[in-house]
């Protein structure tokens, strides 16, 4: 059986990671949440007082990047890898709306991207990987055998993220999440370095009206035609 690379890109909260995890499990591949890595650097910047809604000390973040070691460790109980910053598990800290509101600013910094893309390429060196993000099919793995570009209406995506954050105990409004989703999409799509765009050879999937099971089966079928 051939081992391939599967790149899943798309807008915020399209359910990319849910589907990517299922596909990876089914094929026995590694799953990598590249967004978690950008969130980890954002969390690092917040913790060190380098970014807030009022300011961004971009140059200091760039010079401090060697001190922000982002890694993954597989959690057997959960069945997927969790993200670590300097050997500390920060999986819970990075999923807040506060991080979501700042991450696209940090992700637009080319030095941040260069550091993380290097790690992503190294993880995927031997293929058998499913990675989700914004630039996986265009920049990280332009030769990926299967590229998916996921979309859904902004309302659908904001509602999914709102329910997720509520379940995590965050005290937020739907409007705040809706605004974040739209703002992030805009920043991610219009930045200069590695903007969110559909790769020419990616298959676009609008999942506004599809169940997780339907999407999972659909993508798995596509993967199996290549493997
Ligand atoms: O996937 P997730 O929503 O957790 O990603 C958080 C943010 O990280 C995105 O809005 C984007 O700014 C950034 N990101 C990126 N490139 C990737 C993955 C995520 O710029 N490959």
């Amino acid at each position: 059986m051939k081992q391939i690379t599967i790149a899943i890109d798309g807008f915020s909260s399209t359910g990319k990671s849910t589907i990517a995890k299922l596909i990876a499990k089914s094929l026995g591949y590694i799953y990598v949440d590249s967004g978690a890595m950008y969130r980890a650097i954002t969390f690092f910047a917040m913790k060190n007082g380098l970014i807030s809604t009022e300011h961004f000390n971009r140059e200091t973040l760039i010079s401090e990047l060697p001190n922000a070691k982002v890694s993954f460790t597989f959690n057997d109980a959960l069945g997927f890898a969790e993200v670590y910053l300097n050997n500390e598990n920060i999986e819970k800290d990075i999923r807040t709306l506060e991080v979501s509101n700042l991450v696209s600013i940090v992700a637009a910094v080319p030095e941040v991207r260069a550091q993380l893309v290097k790690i992503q390429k190294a993880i995927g060196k031997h293929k058998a990987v499913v990675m989700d993000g914004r630039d996986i099919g265009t920049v990280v793995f332009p030769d990926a055998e299967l590229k998916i570009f996921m979309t859904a209406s902004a309302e659908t995506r904001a509602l999914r993220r709102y329910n997720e954050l509520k379940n995590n105990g965050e005290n937020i409004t739907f409007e705040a999440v809706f605004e974040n989703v739209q703002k992030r999409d805009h920043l991610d799509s219009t930045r200069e370095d590695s903007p969110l765009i559909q790769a020419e050879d990616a298959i676009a999937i609008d999942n506004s009206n599809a169940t997780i099971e339907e999407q999972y089966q659909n993508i798995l079928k596509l993967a199996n035609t290549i493997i």
Side-chain angles (χ1 to χ4, degrees):
M1 225 184 200
K2 194 165 112 189
Q3 302 216 301
I4 63 166
T5 300
I6 302 177
I8 303 186
D9 289 304
F11 294 100
S12 308
S13 308
T14 41
K16 296 184 297 290
S17 64
T18 307
I19 303 299
K21 268 181 209 161
L22 289 168
I23 304 280
K25 196 170 172 208
S26 166
L27 297 174
Y29 283 14
I30 304 168
Y31 161 65
V32 181
D33 173 0
S34 70
M37 302 171 80
Y38 291 93
R39 288 172 179 272
I41 297 290
T42 305
F43 182 65
F44 171 84
M46 284 163 60
K47 247 180 45 169
N48 289 286
L50 303 177
I51 195 168
S52 71
T53 43
E54 280 81 44
H55 83 293
F56 178 32
N57 195 339
R58 181 187 162 111
E59 293 315 313
T60 310
L61 174 64
I62 293 170
S63 63
E64 284 295 319
L65 280 176
N67 299 320
K69 188 178 151 263
V70 178
S71 58
F72 288 98
T73 299
F74 195 79
N75 180 322
D76 285 324
L78 293 174
F80 61 87
E82 292 185 297
V83 70
Y84 283 68
L85 174 67
N86 296 329
N87 302 319
E88 189 192 331
N89 186 327
I90 54 158
E91 193 61 38
K92 289 227 159 60
D93 305 290
I94 60 165
R95 307 287 169 193
T96 62
L97 189 57
E98 199 185 352
V99 172
S100 296
N101 279 331
L102 299 171
V103 64
S104 293
I105 299 167
V106 171
V109 178
E111 288 81 355
V112 170
R113 304 202 69 81
Q115 177 159 319
L116 299 182
V117 168
K118 200 168 145 195
I119 302 170
Q120 291 154 11
K121 283 182 189 272
I123 298 174
K125 201 167 64 185
H126 302 295
K127 297 193 178 268
V129 64
V130 184
M131 194 175 291
D132 77 337
R134 304 294 187 286
D135 61 341
I136 310 306
T138 51
V139 174
V140 183
F141 300 127
D143 298 329
E145 288 83 354
L146 179 60
K147 298 181 186 178
I148 304 291
F149 191 82
M150 282 173 58
T151 61
S153 73
E155 288 80 6
T156 306
R157 295 185 287 117
L159 192 60
R160 284 182 191 150
R161 184 53 66 106
Y162 171 72
N163 289 330
E164 204 177 291
L165 290 169
K166 271 277 186 211
N167 282 340
N168 289 347
E170 271 213 59
N171 184 17
I172 32 120
T173 62
F174 172 77
E175 287 69 30
V177 179
F178 188 55
E179 194 186 316
N180 170 259
V181 161
Q182 287 185 306
K183 200 166 148 202
R184 220 144 42 94
D185 287 346
H186 176 71
L187 288 173
D188 292 344
S189 308
T190 55
R191 70 181 172 222
E192 236 165 77
D193 187 354
S194 316
L196 165 65
I197 42 162
Q198 183 180 335
E200 269 180 28
D201 50 350
I203 298 165
I205 295 181
D206 184 322
N207 68 15
S208 303
N209 300 307
T211 65
I212 287 172
E213 182 63 23
E214 282 165 352
Q215 297 169 60
Y216 157 61
Q217 292 299 344
N218 183 8
I219 298 175
L220 192 61
K221 206 152 61 181
L222 290 170
N224 278 325
T225 60
I226 304 167
I227 293 168

